[in-house]
Amino acid sequence: DTGVSQDPRHKITKRGQNVTFRCDPISEHNRLYWYRQTLGQGPEFLTYFQNEAQLEKSRLLSDRFSAERPKGSFSTLEIQRTEQGDSAMYLCASIPTGGINYGYTFGSGTRLTVV
Amino acid sequence: TQLLEQSPQFLSIQEGENLTVYCNSSSVFSSLQWYRQEPGEGPVLLVTVVTGGEVKKLKRLTFQFGDARKDSSLHITAAQPGDTGLYLCANGDDMRFGAGTRLTVKP
C-alpha cells in the first residue's frame, strides 16, 4: 500500500456542473477525513468517517456537498451545481482509530477549478 | 472547535538563518501536530507532541509544546532552501488546522 490516493489530481468544470472526487485511504485506516484548502490558507475540515459512518460534518459542507464511504474503504465527495467559490484543493486524509501519535496521512489532493 | 493561530503568516529568510514559528490557542489540547506542505501536495506530518513542556527534535527542527498545552513552537536552525513550504499546526483532538506559516528560504 503506497498511501492515500486521490483521483483525479485536477478537475476543470463549468459552473453548474456536478463533480465527484474519489479517495482511497490506507487499507487498515478506519478514519477518513475530507478537507478543502484555498490558496494561502490551511486545510478547512469538511467531514470525517469512522469506517462507513459519517460522524461529523462541517457547516462549510452545504447541501450541495455530499460524501460517502459505503463499504468503509474508499470515499467519494460530490459537489452538485458547482460555483466558482468551490474552486480549491480538496484533500483526503486517513488514520487508524486511536492512532493519533502516528499522524494523518494525506493524499496529494484534487485541485478543482470552476470556470 | 478550538481555533489555532499561527504566526507569522509569512517568513522570508536567507539560507543559514534560524527561525521560529508559533502556534497558539486559548484552549488546551491533548495533542498537537506539525505538518509541512509543499505546493500541489498534501501536508506531511513532521511531529506529534502530547505532553506539556515536551521538546522533540527532528534533525534541524525543534518542536516545543507549551507547559499548559495551549501553544507550540517550531524552531529551525540553519535553514536551507529545502525547508521552504507551508508549515501547519493541527489540533490532535479534532484535526482542525491553523492557517499556516509560509516559509521561504532564499539561497
Side-chain angles (χ1 to χ4, degrees):
Chain A
D1 193 288
T2 57
V4 178
S5 298
Q6 291 191 245
D7 183 68
R9 288 294 309 270
H10 303 275
K11 178 71 177 178
I12 299 175
T13 191
K14 292 183 177 179
R15 186 163 50 98
Q17 297 294 305
N18 300 342
V19 294
T20 300
F21 311 139
R22 177 178 171 126
C23 172
D24 286 90
I26 293 173
S27 58
E28 61 268 26
H29 286 189
N30 309 99
R31 287 196 174 183
L32 185 150
Y33 287 71
W34 284 100
Y35 293 87
R36 180 174 68 187
Q37 186 176 27
T38 53
L39 199 61
Q41 297 297 315
E44 295 176 294
F45 170 82
L46 292 178
T47 187
Y48 89 91
F49 293 84
Q50 172 80 23
N51 298 312
E52 67 275 9
Q54 188 173 18
L55 296 187
E56 188 178 358
K57 290 172 60 174
S58 166
R59 283 173 291 179
L60 291 173
L61 212 66
S62 75
D63 56 4
R64 295 185 299 105
F65 288 70
S66 62
E68 294 183 342
R69 195 182 183 198
K71 297 182 180 179
S73 56
F74 73 91
S75 177
T76 58
L77 178 68
E78 180 183 17
I79 308 174
Q80 297 182 327
R81 305 181 303 281
T82 52
E83 302 172 356
Q84 287 188 322
D86 297 331
S87 295
M89 173 78 90
Y90 290 84
L91 292 163
C92 174
S94 70
I95 188 171
T97 303
I100 186 65
N101 287 327
Y102 300 98
Y104 290 69
T105 302
F106 279 83
S108 296
T110 294
R111 179 163 297 283
L112 173 66
T113 302
V114 181
V115 297
Chain B
T1 301
Q2 299 165 315
L3 294 178
L4 289 166
E5 294 185 358
Q6 292 192 245
S7 61
Q9 187 176 359
F10 299 97
L11 187 57
S12 181
I13 61 171
Q14 293 294 134
E15 182 176 4
E17 293 183 358
N18 301 332
L19 67 113
T20 303
V21 298
Y22 301 92
C23 176
N24 296 299
S25 173
S26 58
S27 303
V28 175
F29 305 118
S30 60
S31 65
L32 188 141
Q33 300 183 334
W34 284 94
Y35 291 78
R36 186 167 78 96
Q37 185 179 23
E38 297 189 23
E41 297 296 328
V44 175
L45 179 70
L46 296 173
V47 77
T48 301
V49 286
V50 296
T51 305
E54 182 177 6
V55 176
K56 283 191 173 180
K57 292 193 175 183
L58 186 66
K59 297 183 181 178
R60 294 176 293 101
L61 278 60
T62 301
F63 303 85
Q64 186 161 6
F65 201 15
D67 290 340
R69 306 206 319 274
K70 293 183 177 181
D71 55 85
S72 181
S73 63
L74 159 58
H75 181 79
I76 302 179
T77 303
Q80 299 176 0
D83 296 326
T84 293
L86 180 65
Y87 288 82
L88 296 159
C89 63
N91 173 359
D93 295 329
D94 62 9
M95 276 310 291
R96 269 43 167 195
F97 284 82
T101 292
R102 186 164 297 281
L103 172 66
T104 302
V105 182
K106 301 175 186 176

